[in-house]
Amino acid sequence: MSAPKTTPRQRPRQVPKRRLHPAWTVAAVAFLALVGAAGFRAAPGVMMVPLQNEFGWSTTVLSSAVSINLVLFGLTAPFAAALMERFGIRAVTSVALVLIGAGSALTVLVNQSWQILLTWGLLIGLGTGSMALVFAATIANTWFARSRGLVIGILTAGSAAGQLVFLPFIAMLAQDPGWRQASLLIAAGALAVVPLVLKFLKNSPADAGVLPYGAESEAAAEPSDGEPFTEDPEVPAEPAEPAEPRRNAAVRALQALKRASKVRTFWALVAGFAICGATTNGLIGTHFIPSAHDHGMAETTAAGLLAVVGIFDILGTIASGWLTDRFNPRILLAVYYQFRGIGLLVLPLLLSATVQPSMIVFVVIYGLDWVATVPPTAAICRQVFGADGSVVFGWVFAAHQLGAAAAALAAGAIRDATGQYTYAWFGAAAMCTIAAVISATIRKDAGKREAVPVPA
């Protein structure tokens, strides 16, 4: 995303070195917003069994609600990125948090299966989609000229932190006094962040009268040091022009997709990220707790294991952001996907009624790898697609959620048909190997060789 235009009355200034740059305040509020929005990410796995016990709904029905949520979570993302350019980050983020809070609060009133599709699926899907990982990329690209990979890693860890904060409490409330209280906790967490967003989340450095963090001048606002690829002036990027922020958001998103679809690297990222979503949100995030319950493990114990995944996800994602600023992101992606596949391959052998040391090892490794794929994927989008980078990352993230939705639904169907999840874990392990191969074959100079000139 190109640096925002400024007027003569609001010329950007450099921030004195001893003073905290406003970009870090914005990043901190964005982190809290992602924490608040992440509450529902922990909910389906914990609340699935209580809902089945109360209403008698099948795993497939509840998995369908999660799948609708994940589809909207993904498909909303690229349009949300364009909406943030058109109406501002603060407005879109606030509306998204309200939608999440409303959807979660209204869940306590459901008594028919179609109603859970509306609350879990439609409302929360639209809200979380607008607060998807593209939000982290937009903040990093708008406010930071340096250390973008690290910032994306920290913000992405906000989702993991939300899971860490909410999951143990949701698990306890779901058992006693009940899942309705857990839903209200999620609603409260999302709505509590709205006042902070309205007050402190500024839309751009121009609003604060400063340059992006690390920019020495307006001309230096876009490049970032330490990037393993070299951006090319002929990348398929939207030309910078004063009128661009006022363009229709849907047209902006679709035009970026049209340009990106002509680039092979885009499809490589789409395929890899679809598998990423299938093996995180779709499988582990939705079905780990029910699968552990099938093996006799208490739901609160399984939820505690996922909370540990959240702890190490924070460490892994921040570390991945640091590595992305220094190493080739395609190699990082290949390594991440292959390690994840190995973990999924052995998972069926580790599940039991009690927590064994081998399960702890799995949880730690899987946590470090959970969304470590986000910083290198976002970096490749920025390096190859330039000013379109954030919106293109939104489309890549849409593939992530479509993969997650398909996996959530398929795993539920496998469980209903076979009585266990074993085939789902093995299939996911095979897909990770495919993602590793695809990522490794992305050209190092993709930005130069695959550039699609923007029509004049």
Side-chain angles (χ1 to χ4, degrees), residues 54-76:
E54 179 169 339
F55 297 108
W57 298 334
S58 68
T59 304
T60 302
V61 167
L62 293 173
S63 297
S64 298
V66 176
S67 295
I68 293 172
N69 173 280
L70 293 172
V71 168
L72 290 175
F73 189 9
L75 292 180
T76 304

Side-chain angles (χ1 to χ4, degrees), residues 133-196:
L133 299 181
V134 69
F135 171 62
T138 301
I139 291 290
N141 290 343
T142 302
W143 280 91
F144 292 84
R146 299 183 187 273
S147 302
R148 283 172 172 164
L150 177 62
V151 172
I152 291 176
I154 293 172
L155 294 182
T156 303
S159 296
Q163 176 177 317
L164 171 64
V165 169
F166 286 99
L167 187 54
F169 296 103
I170 292 173
M172 289 187 293
L173 288 175
Q175 288 196 339
D176 185 20
W179 63 267
R180 289 178 176 82
Q181 286 71 19
S183 292
L184 293 176
L185 173 65
I186 296 168
L191 296 175
V193 189
V194 174
L196 292 175

Side-chain angles (χ1 to χ4, degrees), residues 201-276:
L201 189 63
K202 296 184 181 299
N203 293 320
S204 69
D207 288 351
V210 299
L211 292 168
Y213 175 77
E216 299 299 330
S217 64
E218 284 191 88
E222 187 62 22
S224 174
D225 61 346
E227 292 179 354
F229 289 2
T230 301
E231 293 187 18
D232 189 87
E234 294 295 322
V235 293
E238 185 72 15
E241 56 185 41
E244 183 188 5
R246 293 189 173 276
R247 295 175 58 192
N248 181 280
V251 172
R252 169 84 170 97
L254 292 173
Q255 287 180 342
L257 174 62
K258 181 180 179 180
R259 287 190 289 271
S261 66
K262 301 175 183 178
V263 181
R264 284 173 293 180
T265 294
F266 171 74
W267 294 110
L269 294 175
V270 163
F273 231 40
I275 294 172
C276 178

Side-chain angles (χ1 to χ4, degrees), residues 179-453:
W179 63 267
R180 289 178 176 82
Q181 286 71 19
S183 292
L184 293 176
L185 173 65
I186 296 168
L191 296 175
V193 189
V194 174
L196 292 175
V197 169
L198 292 174
K199 183 171 179 61
F200 297 108
L201 189 63
K202 296 184 181 299
N203 293 320
S204 69
D207 288 351
V210 299
L211 292 168
Y213 175 77
E216 299 299 330
S217 64
E218 284 191 88
E222 187 62 22
S224 174
D225 61 346
E227 292 179 354
F229 289 2
T230 301
E231 293 187 18
D232 189 87
E234 294 295 322
V235 293
E238 185 72 15
E241 56 185 41
E244 183 188 5
R246 293 189 173 276
R247 295 175 58 192
N248 181 280
V251 172
R252 169 84 170 97
L254 292 173
Q255 287 180 342
L257 174 62
K258 181 180 179 180
R259 287 190 289 271
S261 66
K262 301 175 183 178
V263 181
R264 284 173 293 180
T265 294
F266 171 74
W267 294 110
L269 294 175
V270 163
F273 231 40
I275 294 172
C276 178
T279 53
T280 52
N281 301 93
L283 284 176
I284 296 294
T286 304
H287 292 288
F288 177 80
I289 293 177
S291 181
H293 181 75
D294 288 345
H295 287 78
M297 185 180 292
E299 294 169 52
T300 51
T301 302
L305 290 174
L306 279 187
V308 175
V309 169
I311 294 174
F312 284 92
D313 182 17
I314 295 172
L315 299 176
T317 308
I318 294 174
S320 178
W322 184 86
L323 290 170
T324 300
D325 285 331
R326 290 160 176 80
F327 299 99
N328 193 320
R330 67 189 180 97
I331 301 302
L332 295 177
L333 286 176
V335 172
Y336 296 157
Y337 285 131
Q338 192 57 66
F339 268 98
R340 186 180 301 177
I342 294 171
L344 287 167
L345 186 65
V346 301
L347 179 58
L349 305 176
L350 307 181
L351 290 167
S352 64
T354 58
V355 179
Q356 303 297 325
S358 55
M359 176 57 76
I360 298 297
V361 173
F362 168 83
V363 166
V364 170
I365 294 176
Y366 214 84
L368 291 172
D369 201 331
W370 182 262
V371 285
T373 54
V374 172
T377 302
I380 294 173
C381 286
R382 182 180 68 250
Q383 293 154 5
V384 175
F385 301 102
D388 279 345
S390 294
V391 179
V392 171
F393 179 68
W395 285 112
V396 174
F397 181 74
H400 182 281
Q401 295 309 109
L402 291 175
L409 185 58
I414 289 172
R415 169 63 177 79
D416 285 341
T418 67
Q420 58 185 0
Y421 287 98
T422 303
Y423 293 129
W425 305 131
F426 287 162
M431 288 192 297
C432 283
T433 298
I434 295 173
V437 172
I438 291 173
S439 299
T441 56
I442 295 175
R443 289 195 182 109
K444 185 175 182 179
D445 57 350
K448 291 184 177 181
R449 295 195 179 188
E450 303 181 62
V452 178

